[in-house]
Amino acid sequence: MRQLYYTIQTLLRGRGSNVVKTVSLTLGLFVGILLFSQIAYEFSYENFYQDPERLVMLRMRNTKDGIPEKGYNYGTYRPAAADLWEAMPEQVECASLTSNFFQATFYKDGKKLEDTPMLCVDTLYFRTTGLEVLKGNPNDLALMQNAFISQSMARRIFGDEDPIGKELSVEKMFNVTIRGIYREVPRNTNFPHEILLSDAVLDWGYGAGTWGTNNIYHILFRLKQPSDVDIMNRRVQKAVEQYTDPHLGESVVTEYSVIPIREIHRSQPDAQRKLLIMGVLGFSIFFVSVMNYVLAAIASMSWRAKMVGVHKCSGAGEGHILGLFLWETGILVLVSTVACLLLMYFFGERIEGMLGARLADLFTWSNLYVPLLTVLLLFVVAGALPGRMYARIPVTQVFRRYTEGKRSWKRGLLFVQFMGVAFILGVLLTTVWQYREVVSRHVGFQTERLAVGSVNGAIEENEGISDAIRRQPYVEAVACSSKMLLQHYSTNRLTDAQGNFLCPLHFMLIDKDFPKVTGLKLLEGAFPQHVGEAVVGKETVRTMKWQNNVIGRKLPIKPSWAGLQESPTIVGVVDDVRNMGFFNEQTCTAFIMNDRDRTFNVRLKEPEEENLRKLNAFVKEAYPNKMLEFSTYQEIREWQNESVSRFRNIVTVTSGCILLIVLMGLIGYVSDETQRRSKEITIRKVNGAEASSILRLLSAGILKVAVGAVLIGIAFSWYVSGIWMEQFPDGTLLSPGWFIGVGVALLVLIVLVVVVKAWRIANENPVNSIKSE
């Protein structure tokens, strides 16, 4: 208790210093805990399944001349579940097929239900995954008209009412009856769902999948033993060859393998890069926060050394002195932890929006060890390091200028802090620039004032919708297509003259007005005027090596489902449309004139936002039985690049916090230096030195530390930024000049802080300084 009493007295004496320490620790803990918890959260993806190490998913990728393509395709073919189970009964205990390809909007009594992700599954889904069925018979999922919903959705939609037997509308096209309830899945999954429909829905919408067609299914296997993963991977290729030919020409082969489901997320290169950079960010701010605390503790050594001496003269040993500092650090860490909890409480929604995860999911019992270890590590390092320094001060030197020997410590700590803030600001520059690029870069058509909406159902039922929209006074033009421009189009194998597979061709059906309304840029030839004519993108021309004579060629596809009895004739070449965004390489595209359209592209008049609201109000009133809602392409681009936006926001918050911590540490250091060198400054001024020379003297001392630290931090940020940019196939890293500019700006800010803080003592009358001695 006596140690606690002395600690409280010390804290009361150093109130100003303690505020700086508390703010520094709070910011470091706040951001560090969030980032480390997010990392642990993403590492726990798919761990909620029963015996997840025995649950695997089939995947495939193409190899050309023995060289595999980048990444795997986890969408495979419907018959693979039953066929491979039959081929490998020694390893496979159960198999199931699922798909999230079809994402419907659900309605209850005409009211749209929000946040209802779904999966289409077969009757063996629960047996394969081990998810708990609370009510109902999974065999009911054999029928298209039946559905299962999660326990949380049942409470949210129906309250205390029993949902069994109740109906929901799917896209206002057909109804499903709720036949069962299952325990909801956590959000840390690549396959979220609140409602399960029968896989018969996919048959109805896309046709029964076969080997080689409709690779929209996720095939799950429950193995008998975890070690069967390796055995299955050795056998699966030959097993597939029993049912289909994996060769796509002379040199291209589709390879099949399985992967434990909980390894899917962490095996993605984009996820690995994100986790790596988040770990570096979290460590940076945590380390800088601790170092700033140590710096503040060392800065107070000039007056606290006497207190330590008194304690040692009274018989206190090194352990007693160390205990005092641990008590002090413990109290400040406790206050900082409470402050962190308050910040999370008051800014919870913004934090969840930034991280893309609920705080309740981050801080589950299984992940609670992360914030606890973070707090414990902070307490041990921040308390033990300065505590050992004070504990080892000899009694004989307690009243001497012992702090002189600690200048190297303070400069070293400043060096680390400057390096950390330079690194963070360099990464911030990259993320801000890249987000600007992905949402504003040209995507092959004119997105300004262009809205899009799709409707399902029979094509004949949609007749007249485009004419009704076109007659509205706020609409400039309307055109129809089979898909929206920024999504995965229908695909067909693109082959060369010898039949060798080259790549998938992404194509859509359009009407005559589509190119003009959407602003496709014609590079050669003309736009389609008759059914069966097509324009292709530059990448298609390059891949097929048609540079000199593309007009008049036949596009080597013949999708009978689109009513095309012969291959489309190419009449023009357009600029490439970035339909898959900037996370993927440019696709081969084609736009074929046809009348099987269900997507409406509307060019609005100004003002865009107001007219978009009018358009949605009109279609809701005019077509209450249609699930038709319009969004602008700019909104769609922002939604598709939400992960980049979130990461940018994370880096921005981290940058702001670490910059504030470093500036507080710098201000404390300058105050300590001016106090320590007050006699020297006075003598210089008595000898005729001007205020500017004093400021240059202090600034030069800081710059000796800052320049090297900033150079290292900027260089490291340039390297890490290169890792971040690898997820954008044709993205380019900013030139080193931009990073150098950030470093120079940071050095200017550092000098400015020194000048402002030292301005008073540099301009003070030396007589006053002499009197105070």
Side-chain angles (χ1 to χ4, degrees):
M1 291 301 295
R2 182 173 296 179
Q3 282 187 326
L4 180 60
Y5 170 77
Y6 289 141
T7 300
I8 294 175
Q9 293 300 315
T10 303
L11 291 174
L12 292 176
R13 182 180 177 185
R15 289 187 295 273
S17 170
N18 292 327
V19 170
V20 172
K21 292 178 183 178
T22 303
V23 172
S24 176
L25 293 178
T26 299
L27 294 177
L29 274 179
F30 177 65
V31 179
I33 286 175
L34 289 177
L35 292 179
F36 294 146
S37 297
Q38 178 76 9
I39 293 172
Y41 174 76
E42 298 208 17
F43 267 106
S44 64
Y45 261 55
E46 319 296 354
N47 275 352
F48 54 85
Y49 295 105
Q50 180 184 359
D51 298 329
E53 66 277 1
R54 293 199 292 128
L55 187 63
V56 301
M57 179 174 287
L58 185 67
R59 61 184 180 178
M60 62 182 187
R61 66 177 177 182
N62 292 330
T63 63
K64 186 173 184 179
D65 297 323
I67 302 175
E69 65 183 6
K70 294 181 179 179
Y72 286 90
N73 185 359
Y74 291 91
T76 52
Y77 304 110
R78 179 188 179 112
D83 290 348
L84 296 183
W85 185 4
E86 180 182 22
M88 292 179 285
E90 300 86 358
Q91 288 77 43
V92 179
E93 180 180 295
C94 188
S96 173
L97 59 89
T98 76
S99 178
N100 57 7
F101 184 80
F102 176 56
Q103 287 295 315
T105 301
F106 295 89
Y107 294 83
K108 177 180 179 292
D109 301 328
K111 182 180 179 181
K112 181 180 177 181
L113 301 181
E114 302 293 343
D115 192 23
T116 53
M118 57 157 286
L119 283 181
C120 291
V121 302
D122 62 8
T123 57
L124 293 175
Y125 176 74
F126 290 108
R127 177 184 166 188
T128 303
T129 61
L131 294 179
E132 182 180 1
V133 177
L134 303 177
K135 187 180 293 186
N137 184 350
N139 290 327
D140 289 336
L141 286 173
L143 300 178
M144 173 180 164
Q145 296 79 14
N146 294 335
F148 273 50
I149 64 175
S150 69
Q151 187 180 32
S152 60
M153 181 177 175
R155 288 194 297 261
R156 186 175 71 251
I157 305 301
F158 297 97
D160 296 331
E161 188 179 359
D162 187 1
I164 302 299
K166 300 294 192 303
E167 290 190 345
L168 297 176
S169 172
V170 182
E171 298 278 351
K172 296 185 178 180
M173 293 187 297
F174 61 91
N175 291 349
V176 291
T177 303
I178 298 173
R179 296 299 183 187
I181 302 173
Y182 62 94
R183 192 172 303 281
E184 64 271 9
V185 300
R187 293 174 180 259
N188 53 338
T189 175
N190 288 305
F191 315 100
H193 52 86
E194 290 278 357
I195 182 168
L196 298 175
L197 298 186
S198 171
D199 62 311
V201 173
L202 297 176
D203 297 344
W204 169 77
Y206 305 100
T210 63
W211 280 106
T213 64
N214 284 0
N215 58 329
I216 60 176
Y217 297 90
H218 301 304
I219 307 301
L220 296 171
F221 299 100
R222 177 160 292 279
L223 305 182
K224 295 182 178 180
Q225 300 292 335
S227 58
D228 288 336
V229 174
D230 296 331
I231 300 175
M232 190 170 184
N233 274 327
R234 289 195 295 268
R235 297 184 56 191
V236 67
Q237 189 70 18
K238 289 185 177 180
V240 169
E241 291 174 358
Q242 299 177 26
Y243 304 97
T244 186
D245 185 4
H247 294 82
L248 305 176
E250 295 181 1
S251 58
V252 181
V253 179
T254 302
E255 292 184 347
Y256 292 82
S257 62
V258 297
I259 181 175
I261 192 169
R262 62 180 182 178
E263 294 181 11
I264 293 177
H265 182 70
R266 70 186 73 168
S267 68
Q268 301 295 324
D270 294 346
Q272 293 174 0
R273 282 189 287 267
K274 178 184 175 182
L275 293 175
L276 172 63
I277 297 175
M278 287 180 64
V280 173
L281 293 178
F283 176 78
S284 297
I285 191 168
F286 180 81
F287 189 67
V288 168
S289 175
V290 173
M291 293 302 101
N292 195 63
Y293 180 90
V294 175
L295 179 63
I298 295 176
S300 64
M301 188 173 287
S302 59
W303 62 270
R304 297 192 66 173
K306 294 183 180 181
M307 180 195 72
V308 173
V310 172
H311 281 290
K312 285 197 170 184
C313 289
S314 300
E318 291 188 4
H320 177 86
I321 302 300
L322 178 60
L324 287 174
F325 280 90
L326 290 177
W327 270 105
E328 178 182 331
T329 303
I331 293 174
L332 293 178
V333 169
L334 179 61
V335 173
S336 300
T337 303
V338 173
C340 284
L341 294 176
L342 292 175
L343 287 174
M344 293 179 189
Y345 176 78
F346 288 111
F347 298 100
E349 291 186 5
R350 294 186 180 181
I351 294 171
E352 291 175 347
M354 179 180 69
L355 297 176
R358 298 184 308 176
L359 292 178
D361 295 328
L362 288 183
F363 302 118
T364 59
W365 287 108
S366 59
N367 286 343
L368 203 57
Y369 72 93
V370 176
L372 293 178
L373 283 179
T374 304
V375 173
L376 179 61
L377 182 61
L378 180 73
F379 164 71
V380 172
V381 176
L385 192 57
R388 288 291 298 170
M389 289 182 184
Y390 278 97
R392 298 175 65 179
I393 296 177
V395 178
T396 56
Q397 297 184 11
V398 130
F399 299 105
R400 302 178 184 177
R401 269 198 189 274
Y402 189 75
T403 54
E404 291 289 340
K406 297 303 175 186
R407 290 184 62 193
S408 59
W409 268 96
K410 290 188 284 187
R411 289 178 179 271
L413 295 174
L414 271 181
F415 185 92
V416 171
Q417 293 188 23
F418 291 152
M419 184 171 61
V421 73
F423 163 74
I424 295 291
L425 292 178
V427 175
L428 176 62
L429 172 70
T430 301
T431 56
V432 170
W433 176 266
Q434 187 57 29
Y435 180 71
R436 175 184 174 277
E437 279 284 288
V438 296
V439 299
S440 63
R441 187 174 170 185
H442 185 59
V443 288
F445 62 98
Q446 299 299 322
T447 60
E448 296 79 9
R449 298 183 289 108
L450 186 61
V452 62
S454 297
V455 64
N456 290 302
I459 298 294
E460 296 75 16
E461 298 175 358
N462 302 329
E463 294 180 356
I465 295 180
S466 60
D467 290 334
I469 294 174
R470 190 178 289 109
R471 289 193 294 266
Q472 302 309 306
Y474 44 81
V475 173
E476 187 176 291
V478 181
C480 296
S481 58
S482 59
K483 298 279 185 178
M484 78 169 188
L485 280 161
L486 295 179
Q487 71 172 117
H488 191 290
Y489 303 164
S490 300
T491 58
N492 207 307
R493 293 175 58 193
L494 197 60
T495 59
D496 60 17
Q498 290 73 38
N500 294 314
F501 173 77
L502 298 176
C503 66
L505 175 69
H506 289 238
F507 69 93
M508 70 158 62
L509 309 179
I510 62 174
D511 66 9
K512 184 177 179 180
D513 297 328
F514 180 85
K516 181 180 178 181
V517 172
T518 58
L520 291 180
K521 183 179 180 181
L522 185 66
L523 303 178
E524 182 182 351
F527 287 126
Q529 300 295 317
H530 305 94
V531 172
E533 294 181 343
V535 290
V536 296
K538 290 189 300 181
E539 183 66 18
T540 305
V541 176
R542 187 195 65 80
T543 301
M544 296 299 295
K545 300 179 181 179
W546 286 341
Q547 282 81 354
N548 298 324
N549 54 349
V550 60
I551 306 302
R553 284 184 175 271
K554 292 290 186 179
L555 198 61
I557 64 170
K558 191 163 36 178
S560 56
W561 59 265
L564 298 175
Q565 302 305 317
E566 60 180 27
S567 299
T569 302
I570 300 172
V571 297
V573 179
V574 296
D575 198 6
D576 283 322
V577 174
R578 207 62 191 244
N579 66 306
M580 296 296 288
F582 295 100
F583 288 94
N584 299 285
E585 296 181 352
Q586 176 63 57
T587 58
C588 290
T589 54
F591 303 90
I592 306 167
M593 187 169 169
N594 195 275
D595 57 358
R596 292 174 175 264
D597 307 327
R598 62 176 75 250
T599 298
F600 304 95
N601 300 271
V602 181
R603 182 73 65 181
L604 297 168
K605 298 178 180 178
E606 292 286 2
E608 182 180 12
E609 292 185 8
E610 180 181 340
N611 288 336
L612 179 64
R613 288 194 294 269
K614 291 180 181 179
L615 175 61
N616 279 320
F618 166 73
V619 296
K620 184 176 182 180
E621 180 180 358
Y623 305 99
N625 296 323
K626 294 287 185 182
M627 208 295 289
L628 179 59
E629 185 174 353
F630 285 87
S631 301
T632 65
Y633 272 106
Q634 190 59 33
E635 290 175 335
I636 293 171
R637 294 185 70 176
E638 292 173 357
W639 295 336
Q640 291 178 338
N641 294 289
E642 192 174 17
S643 61
V644 181
S645 173
R646 286 173 177 168
F647 187 76
R648 178 204 60 182
N649 294 339
I650 291 173
V651 178
T652 300
V653 171
T654 305
S655 300
C657 291
I658 200 171
L659 183 59
L660 180 58
I661 292 172
V662 170
L663 291 181
M664 288 191 301
L666 178 59
I667 291 171
Y669 175 82
V670 174
S671 297
D672 184 53
E673 279 294 285
T674 53
Q675 180 182 1
R676 185 184 65 83
R677 303 178 67 176
S678 59
K679 288 184 180 180
E680 176 191 346
I681 294 172
T682 300
I683 293 172
R684 288 178 180 272
K685 295 182 69 175
V686 169
N687 289 327
E690 297 181 354
S692 58
S693 65
I694 300 299
L695 294 175
R696 283 197 301 270
L697 176 68
L698 295 174
S699 299
I702 291 294
L703 286 175
K704 289 180 181 178
V705 179
V707 172
V710 169
L711 285 175
I712 295 175
I714 288 296
F716 188 41
S717 71
W718 182 81
Y719 173 75
V720 172
S721 295
I723 296 176
W724 166 253
M725 291 298 297
E726 288 177 359
Q727 66 184 305
F728 305 101
D730 57 354
T732 55
L733 182 62
L734 285 169
S735 66
W738 285 93
F739 291 87
I740 294 173
V742 170
V744 171
L746 179 58
L747 291 174
V748 171
L749 178 61
I750 290 171
V751 172
L752 183 62
V753 170
V754 173
V755 170
V756 171
K757 184 61 182 174
W759 183 266
R760 183 187 61 82
I761 193 168
N763 288 276
E764 188 179 31
N765 190 330
V767 175
N768 295 331
S769 298
I770 294 173
K771 286 181 179 180
S772 64
E773 288 293 331

